[in-house]
Amino acid sequence: MEKGVLEIDAPYGDENFKVKWLRIKEIYTESKFVISVKDEIYQGRIASISDKRIKVFDSDSIYTTCSLDEIVFLNQFKEGFANRFSAAIEVGFNLTKAQNLRQFSLRSSINYRTDKWTADVAYNIIRSSQDDVEPVRRTDGLLNYRRILPKNWYLIGTIATLSNTEQLIDLRANSQLGIGKFIVSSNKAYWGIKTGFNNNLERFTNETTNRNTWEGFLGSEVNLYDTGDLELALVFMGYLGLTERGRYRTDINFDTKYELPLDLFIRLGVSLNYDNRPAENASETDYIIRTGIGWEW
């Protein structure tokens, strides 16, 4: 169970059963689970003890009792390496006769989760070409590690890359270390903030001198998912120059995702990159609006 929906893989039927978590009357498990109760994480089983009350236990030990809505995550504890993966891929394509326009986009992600840490890898590209216009190219990648701490705190280590033609960025490589906390973590939404330090290594496609600077960052992420088949996500990252005084940057991503049958989805995404000191003759901002259909598992 995550994002307020319990998914049951039954031995019969072609699709998994999905039930809203807060509509459950009683639940009992025999397998061992990773269970997130507000700001604590347990490994054990759960069982109803009264209307909307749950005990988390294992063998003869009762770890805690709580209300149904205090359980925000439930996943069967699996020792196997392959069983802890999830992934998604999304593609979009446009073709017009006018000016021989061709556009292609790809978004992909892989997630690996344990009871103590999570790792995420993402890779996204956009390619656009048409007659009498310079090609447009944008590529970004992400490798993110999150170590889970008590009381909804976590440590983060991130490597993020970006290249785009609008800002003449051949490569921007960000290496981040920081700490974060989930302010809200429930069956309806989560909201987290994080802060730390970032090393920003940049190489440009024109004559602008390469840069290697240090920055402080402040980020926030909001995800709303108690909206039927619709999911909304907003990520904000702000950077303030430490070794290059007076420089500041922002990266903003907003996604609207609509779930379809057979694990398919359609998504509308908006991304904005701002830099008050871009490369010479480059734009301060670069934004994209993209749509696509995808599949997750």
Side-chain angles (χ1 to χ4, degrees):
M1 184 277 292
E2 62 179 335
K3 298 180 179 178
V5 176
L6 177 69
E7 186 170 348
I8 305 169
D9 184 6
Y12 47 85
D14 295 331
E15 296 185 15
N16 293 350
F17 293 100
K18 294 184 179 181
V19 183
K20 287 228 174 186
W21 178 249
L22 296 182
R23 292 184 180 178
I24 291 172
K25 304 300 290 184
E26 296 182 13
I27 183 170
Y28 305 89
T29 70
E30 295 190 7
S31 300
K32 194 174 182 179
F33 284 80
V34 176
I35 306 156
S36 176
V37 181
K38 283 194 170 180
D39 54 5
E40 298 292 342
I41 294 177
Y42 303 96
Q43 293 180 17
R45 296 177 287 165
I46 62 175
S48 297
I49 54 177
S50 64
D51 187 27
K52 300 295 183 179
R53 295 292 296 179
I54 303 290
K55 69 175 180 179
V56 181
F57 68 102
D58 196 20
S59 299
D60 296 328
S61 300
I62 297 179
Y63 300 134
T64 188
T65 61
C66 60
S67 61
L68 191 70
D69 61 356
E70 289 179 304
I71 299 178
V72 297
F73 176 78
L74 177 71
N75 194 28
Q76 188 172 0
F77 186 76
K78 299 177 179 179
E79 298 290 348
F81 177 80
N83 293 327
R84 297 176 177 178
F85 278 101
S86 62
I89 187 168
E90 170 193 333
V91 295
F93 183 72
N94 295 317
L95 174 65
T96 67
K97 181 178 179 182
Q99 294 184 291
N100 197 27
L101 172 65
R102 290 178 173 82
Q103 294 177 328
F104 172 77
S105 65
L106 168 71
R107 299 181 71 179
S108 59
S109 63
I110 299 175
N111 173 269
Y112 184 78
R113 184 195 299 256
T114 75
D115 59 322
K116 299 295 184 183
W117 57 271
T118 64
D120 305 282
V121 179
Y123 180 70
N124 310 310
I125 63 173
I126 290 179
R127 298 289 184 267
S128 178
S129 64
Q130 64 184 100
D131 295 345
D132 303 321
V133 176
E134 288 293 323
V136 174
R137 289 178 170 80
R138 178 188 173 97
T139 304
D140 61 87
L142 176 72
L143 174 61
N144 185 63
Y145 174 84
R146 179 180 296 168
R147 179 73 179 184
I148 301 170
L149 302 176
K151 307 298 182 182
N152 277 342
W153 289 90
Y154 57 89
L155 297 174
I156 51 174
T158 301
I159 298 176
T161 63
L162 171 70
S163 66
N164 68 50
T165 50
E166 179 67 16
Q167 295 178 298
L168 304 181
I169 299 174
D170 183 44
L171 175 66
R172 172 181 288 161
N174 286 179
S175 302
Q176 303 170 3
L177 289 175
I179 189 169
K181 179 177 176 61
F182 287 111
I183 306 300
V184 175
S185 180
S186 72
N187 292 290
K188 296 182 178 180
Y190 73 77
W191 169 39
I193 59 173
K194 58 184 178 180
T195 187
F197 297 98
N198 176 63
N199 177 249
N200 182 21
L201 177 63
E202 296 172 299
R203 186 173 67 235
F204 303 97
T205 56
N206 61 2
E207 299 302 320
T208 302
T209 304
N210 295 343
R211 299 172 180 171
N212 188 357
T213 60
W214 283 93
E215 303 166 317
F217 72 82
L218 177 66
S220 181
E221 181 175 358
V222 179
N223 197 311
L224 307 176
Y225 36 79
D226 187 26
T227 51
D229 294 325
L230 193 65
E231 183 177 332
L232 305 175
L234 174 66
V235 179
F236 169 85
M237 290 292 294
Y239 302 90
L240 180 64
L242 299 177
T243 56
E244 186 179 356
R245 298 285 184 174
R247 186 185 184 190
Y248 54 87
R249 306 185 295 112
T250 57
D251 296 332
I252 302 173
N253 293 281
F254 175 73
D255 282 318
T256 302
K257 179 181 171 185
Y258 186 78
E259 301 286 349
L260 299 173
L262 303 176
D263 293 326
L264 296 170
F265 63 87
I266 54 176
R267 179 160 49 189
L268 169 66
V270 180
S271 296
L272 171 68
N273 303 104
Y274 173 78
D275 185 352
N276 75 322
R277 292 182 181 175
E280 185 177 353
N281 299 321
S283 173
E284 291 186 348
T285 60
D286 180 40
Y287 70 87
I288 57 172
I289 301 174
R290 52 190 169 192
T291 59
I293 185 169
W295 180 52
E296 58 186 349
W297 66 95

